[in-house]
Amino acid sequence: MLKLGLHVSISGSIDRAVDRAVEKGCNTFQIFTRNPRGWRSRDLTREEVEAFIEKVEKFKIEPVFGHMPYLPNLASPKDETYRRSVESLITELRRCVELKIPYLVTHLGSHLGAGMEIGFERIIKAVNRGLSEVEGNVMLLLENTAGTKNSMGGSFEDIRYIIERVDYPERVGVCFDTCHGFAAGYDLRTMESVESTIKMLDEVIGFEKLKLVHLNDSKGGLNSRIDRHEHIGMGMIGEEGFRNILKSRLGQLPLILETPIDKRRSDVENLQKVRELAGETEP
Ligand code: ZN
Ligand code: MN
Ligand code: MN
């Protein structure tokens, strides 16, 4: 059976996210532990933390994934942005420990033209700071990006470079986003291309490092470097691509959808589409 879920809202109080995930038929889910659009976050109350943990246990809806907010840039060459970004990373790692969330997903940011070398140096330092400040059971997952201009983490080699140089490699894993991967040039349309992408990932990073798949179709074509998510099967990866992805080893991992919110298809219909393409239900 698929480990399949959505990115759900924490609106109201954080434990409401668990209710939403359950209502939509997820058996895993992802959240921002706070409003993702600002720098500041309010502390969680004891009551919400307890309610969240209780509901996750009660519904056995695990693992839960946290995702870093939008503003932090761990590769930023600007000192003030970088300082706040590292602070955010520490805060988010702490919140995950508090909420018993075992994984925190982060993007690798943009060097803003300062060059990859500076970007890598900053990311590695940030990961080391975060993991040395926050002990406890949370693994940081580095997410591959679409390879847009100045972005870090568009290739498996970029991700390996970081993992090889951090102080706590055992506390660092990987999240593979299918939209980002496809846009960065990793083909996922045929069984052969899915297998060859997995082989590259395995040879460069190690498949065992992969803890999560962000299952999104792509509006942009192969190697387009465009980060625009599409409903499952309605984009350039297409239904056949997802059928192959789901049949491969990627389909055995937790799958989180970050598909668009619009009139063409709902969240629940995207989940249904994935189950159908995996052969779990009739179309
Ligand atoms: Zn992400
Ligand atoms: Mn993603
Ligand atoms: Mn994206």
Side-chain angles (χ1 to χ4, degrees), residues 76-256:
S76 179
K78 297 181 186 167
D79 291 337
E80 184 55 16
T81 312
Y82 182 69
R83 191 189 60 74
R84 297 172 97 176
S85 301
V86 176
E87 281 306 309
S88 290
L89 176 64
I90 294 169
T91 306
E92 286 310 307
L93 286 166
R94 284 213 179 99
R95 288 165 83 95
C96 286
V97 171
E98 216 186 335
L99 293 161
K100 296 194 181 173
I101 295 175
Y103 301 102
L104 175 66
V105 181
T106 185
H107 296 180
L108 298 170
S110 164
H111 61 68
L112 304 173
M116 299 274 287
E117 206 177 316
I118 290 177
F120 279 129
E121 186 199 304
R122 297 237 154 180
I123 294 167
I124 292 162
K125 224 194 255 173
V127 172
N128 287 342
R129 261 299 298 292
L131 294 177
S132 67
E133 291 268 332
V134 184
E135 285 172 29
N137 232 338
V138 58
M139 182 184 261
L140 186 64
L141 302 185
L142 312 181
E143 179 172 354
N144 67 310
T145 52
T148 44
K149 190 159 181 260
N150 299 337
S151 77
M152 303 291 298
S155 71
F156 297 150
E157 284 77 8
D158 279 10
I159 292 172
R160 171 175 67 187
Y161 188 93
I162 297 162
I163 296 177
E164 277 180 343
R165 283 164 180 80
V166 294
D167 294 336
Y168 313 90
E170 69 289 348
R171 293 180 65 196
V172 177
V174 174
C175 164
F176 179 66
D177 186 305
T178 54
C179 165
H180 299 173
F182 187 73
Y186 296 102
D187 201 354
L188 295 163
R189 289 171 295 191
T190 62
M191 203 62 226
E192 292 67 41
S193 60
V194 169
E195 289 302 341
S196 109
T197 292
I198 292 173
K199 187 157 174 268
M200 282 187 264
L201 194 154
D202 189 32
E203 283 171 2
V204 176
I205 301 173
F207 192 82
E208 70 289 347
K209 278 290 187 192
L210 188 58
K211 306 297 176 190
L212 169 64
V213 173
H214 278 170
L215 202 68
N216 303 308
D217 210 333
S218 172
K219 280 201 166 82
L222 181 67
N223 212 13
S224 62
R225 314 269 155 171
I226 294 168
D227 180 0
R228 287 187 70 198
H229 302 189
E230 181 55 290
H231 294 296
I232 301 299
M234 290 169 77
M236 302 300 281
I237 298 175
E239 290 205 355
E240 191 54 31
F242 282 96
R243 216 174 266 126
N244 293 325
I245 290 168
L246 291 163
K247 218 181 286 166
S248 78
R249 290 160 82 190
L250 297 174
Q252 311 281 309
L253 287 157
L255 310 166
I256 297 286

Side-chain angles (χ1 to χ4, degrees), residues 15-42:
D15 57 291
R16 291 281 298 123
V18 191
D19 304 330
R20 290 188 181 102
V22 171
E23 280 159 23
K24 291 179 177 189
C26 305
N27 55 9
T28 178
F29 66 99
Q30 176 176 286
I31 52 169
F32 292 120
T33 74
R34 62 187 192 76
N35 173 2
R37 287 182 182 80
W39 281 105
R40 300 175 59 87
S41 58
R42 69 166 178 83

Side-chain angles (χ1 to χ4, degrees), residues 38-61:
W39 281 105
R40 300 175 59 87
S41 58
R42 69 166 178 83
D43 287 342
L44 295 161
T45 66
R46 193 69 254 147
E47 293 71 39
E48 351 175 45
V49 171
E50 277 165 15
F52 180 85
I53 293 169
E54 264 169 38
K55 286 181 182 177
V56 169
E57 283 171 4
K58 178 177 158 203
F59 295 110
K60 294 190 174 49
I61 180 163

